[in-house]
Amino acid sequence: PGDRRTAFRDAQDRPLYLHPRGADLELEMAVPDGKSKAGQAWVVPERVRVDVIRFDGSRSRTYVSPTSDRAFRFILTRLQESVEIEVLAGDYRTQVPLRIDAVTPPSIDAIKAECEYPEYTGWNQQRESLVPIMGSEVSLPVGTSLQLTATSNKPLQSARITTDFFEVVGDRESTELNARQGYAVVEAPDTPLISDDGLTVTANFRVSLAAADETFESESATANGFQPVPSNTSLRFELHDEDDIISTSPESLRIRGIPDKPPVIATRVTGVDNAVTRRAVVPVTGVIQDDYGLATARFEYIVDDETKWRTSSFKSPVSRGTTEHKLGDAAGGTIERFNVALLDLTEGQTLALGVVATDQCTIPEANSTRAEPIVFRIVSSQELLSLLYTRELNLRRRFEDVNQQLELVREDLQFHEDVAKRVETAGDG
């Protein structure tokens, strides 16, 4: 099975082999080298007859030619039922039929994960730690430690979990972690990989950011026995049961890490334009959101050609851990105001003002977002009045244009209404 040579075992005075149901069976028959016990050279037959006897009494016969100088091979594809096989070659014949029992191969019935989420998510207090895995994929926040428990359909003697970076091998007595070239593993746990009854496989993993070897090494020191698994990694389970049958095709579980997204800022200034006086107060409204929780939010600004952002606190600080912070709008919240007078600016200078928010992420560090800054020009009161007057004239002119368009549309509608009435009157006459 699977190119693994397995000898027949003695059972009730006859050769017996247990074969995984549905897998191809390849029977290899070889003529020994040297001489027989009688001192005569072994004769290689031209062909071998193989009879397959099914339990309903039916029999099929196949003649097999040699595949090499002294070997013959016979294949039964996708064997589904137990059979007996008789071999005849020259004057050789099996004394009793070879018994082949088709049995269910080992497989995984269910997988569950006992999770400890990163503290920044707050999920340890909000969600169940035990997560049943229904499909072939599970998505968890990066940094989650999970104890995977896979339940087998039959007792196992050993198991192997492989990835592109490491493999976990063990039985009912021990667990061994082996790294692929260029990667590191944590110290293997002193607990067995398989339970005493052979029905469950338990292994500890931690959803990691990347697969780089230096990342593995840095995380291994703090993994506490949980082997780092890079996001989008497939765990392949290979099971070996008590019938000496190895699963025909490994079952896979893909682990996807959900990275923490930076905060989202949707803010705007109200009641002012891009020209303000040195004593202006700039009102800011909008909302700041984060998927797991905000840590801080504030104003940041730059004057003229400065290269370093300066900070200014909000009047209403962000509640740590909240997923949404509102800055006065129709839905409520406190309007934040930035006081330009405190900067003691002079006419002609420029001020770039933005909102910055930081979340609580700790893997590897907090995420920050800076909204697109708004640039203000400091002007005198007279210049501001002139700008406002010009703006008012433009708005008035626009209003008059719109009003004229509406008058034209109304006259056009009235004309068509009159035409329709004349046509209707003519039709009645």
Side-chain angles (χ1 to χ4, degrees):
D3 294 331
R4 181 172 65 98
R5 282 179 167 79
T6 303
F8 282 82
R9 67 180 76 169
D10 291 330
Q12 298 178 352
D13 299 326
R14 71 185 311 174
L16 172 67
Y17 162 65
L18 301 180
H19 184 74
R21 182 177 288 108
D24 293 346
L25 168 69
E26 184 175 335
L27 186 65
E28 183 180 81
M29 300 156 285
V31 179
D33 291 325
K35 296 182 178 181
S36 67
K37 293 181 180 180
Q40 297 178 343
W42 293 99
V43 177
V44 179
E46 293 183 359
R47 61 179 184 173
V48 171
R49 192 185 83 185
V50 180
D51 290 351
V52 179
I53 307 167
R54 293 174 175 81
F55 276 90
D56 60 2
S58 62
R59 179 188 294 255
S60 61
R61 178 169 296 173
T62 305
Y63 290 92
V64 183
S65 298
T67 56
S68 64
D69 291 341
R70 312 183 72 84
F72 298 79
R73 290 188 177 181
F74 170 72
I75 297 176
L76 280 176
T77 59
R78 298 182 179 180
L79 184 64
Q80 296 288 345
E81 59 179 347
S82 299
V83 297
E84 292 182 342
I85 291 182
E86 292 181 347
V87 177
L88 178 64
D91 60 357
Y92 170 83
R93 186 180 189 129
T94 49
Q95 297 180 356
V96 293
L98 305 173
R99 175 70 179 269
I100 299 175
D101 283 349
V103 298
T104 303
S107 62
I108 294 177
D109 284 342
I111 301 180
K112 60 183 179 181
E114 184 73 28
C115 298
E116 182 179 348
Y117 304 106
E119 284 302 319
Y120 72 83
T121 65
W123 284 13
N124 291 319
Q125 295 77 33
Q126 300 171 3
R127 301 196 178 193
E128 290 290 338
S129 60
L130 187 61
V131 179
I133 301 174
M134 307 306 295
S136 59
E137 182 177 303
V138 60
S139 298
L140 297 167
V142 170
T144 299
S145 298
L146 63 152
Q147 184 180 74
L148 275 183
T149 301
T151 303
S152 172
N153 64 331
K154 56 194 303 189
L156 305 174
Q157 60 173 297
S158 65
R160 181 189 303 268
I161 305 173
T162 61
T163 72
D164 294 336
F165 315 107
F166 62 88
E167 66 175 10
V168 184
V169 184
D171 49 28
R172 301 186 188 183
E173 296 181 354
S174 63
T175 300
E176 182 180 344
L177 275 169
N178 300 315
R180 305 288 189 189
Q181 185 176 3
Y183 299 94
V185 296
V186 300
E187 184 178 353
D190 54 6
T191 55
L193 184 63
I194 301 174
S195 61
D196 291 338
D197 59 8
L199 292 176
T200 57
V201 178
T202 303
N204 298 331
F205 302 102
R206 180 173 180 268
V207 185
S208 173
L209 276 173
D213 49 355
E214 60 268 15
T215 302
F216 265 56
E217 291 172 359
S218 63
E219 291 184 352
S220 297
T222 58
N224 297 324
F226 289 80
Q227 175 62 30
V229 177
S231 176
N232 205 30
T233 293
S234 288
L235 305 178
R236 298 178 288 275
F237 293 80
E238 186 177 279
L239 310 178
H240 189 182
D241 66 19
E242 292 181 338
D243 293 328
D244 196 28
I245 293 179
I246 297 176
S247 49
T248 52
S249 58
E251 300 188 48
S252 296
L253 172 65
R254 183 178 296 275
I255 296 180
R256 293 189 181 274
I258 306 173
D260 183 28
K261 297 179 181 179
V264 176
I265 302 175
T267 57
R268 61 187 179 87
V269 297
T270 59
V272 296
D273 207 340
N274 292 94
V276 296
T277 66
R278 55 195 297 270
R279 295 186 178 86
V281 175
V282 180
V284 179
T285 63
V287 63
I288 306 172
Q289 297 175 320
D290 187 71
D291 45 2
Y292 296 117
L294 295 164
T296 61
R298 62 189 181 276
F299 288 119
E300 287 195 355
Y301 62 93
I302 285 180
V303 176
D304 291 335
D305 296 329
E306 294 177 349
T307 57
K308 185 176 180 180
W309 289 90
R310 290 187 274 174
T311 64
S312 177
S313 301
F314 280 173
K315 178 181 178 181
S316 178
V318 170
S319 298
R320 189 176 184 87
T322 184
T323 58
E324 183 177 87
H325 181 75
K326 295 180 180 179
L327 308 178
D329 54 18
T334 302
I335 296 180
E336 293 293 340
R337 292 178 170 84
F338 183 82
N339 194 344
V340 180
L342 298 178
L343 307 183
D344 195 22
L345 302 180
T346 59
E347 297 170 9
Q349 288 188 291
T350 57
L351 169 68
L353 177 66
V355 174
V356 176
T358 305
D359 63 17
Q360 301 182 104
C361 181
T362 57
I363 301 175
E365 59 186 11
N367 299 305
S368 293
T369 300
R370 177 183 286 110
E372 185 70 24
I374 302 173
V375 179
F376 298 96
R377 183 167 59 91
I378 308 302
V379 298
S380 65
S381 300
Q382 292 77 11
E383 185 177 354
L384 179 60
L385 288 174
S386 176
L387 291 171
L388 291 175
Y389 179 70
T390 303
R391 183 180 178 185
E392 182 181 354
L393 288 178
N394 291 332
L395 289 174
R396 182 182 295 275
R397 188 176 297 110
R398 183 180 176 186
F399 175 76
E400 291 174 352
D401 290 341
V402 171
N403 191 41
Q404 290 177 1
Q405 293 294 328
L406 288 175
E407 287 292 338
L408 292 174
V409 171
R410 185 172 65 178
E411 292 175 359
D412 188 57
L413 288 174
Q414 185 64 48
F415 170 76
H416 286 85
E417 183 180 359
D418 294 341
V419 172
K421 287 180 178 180
R422 288 198 298 270
V423 171
E424 183 179 356
T425 302
D428 291 341

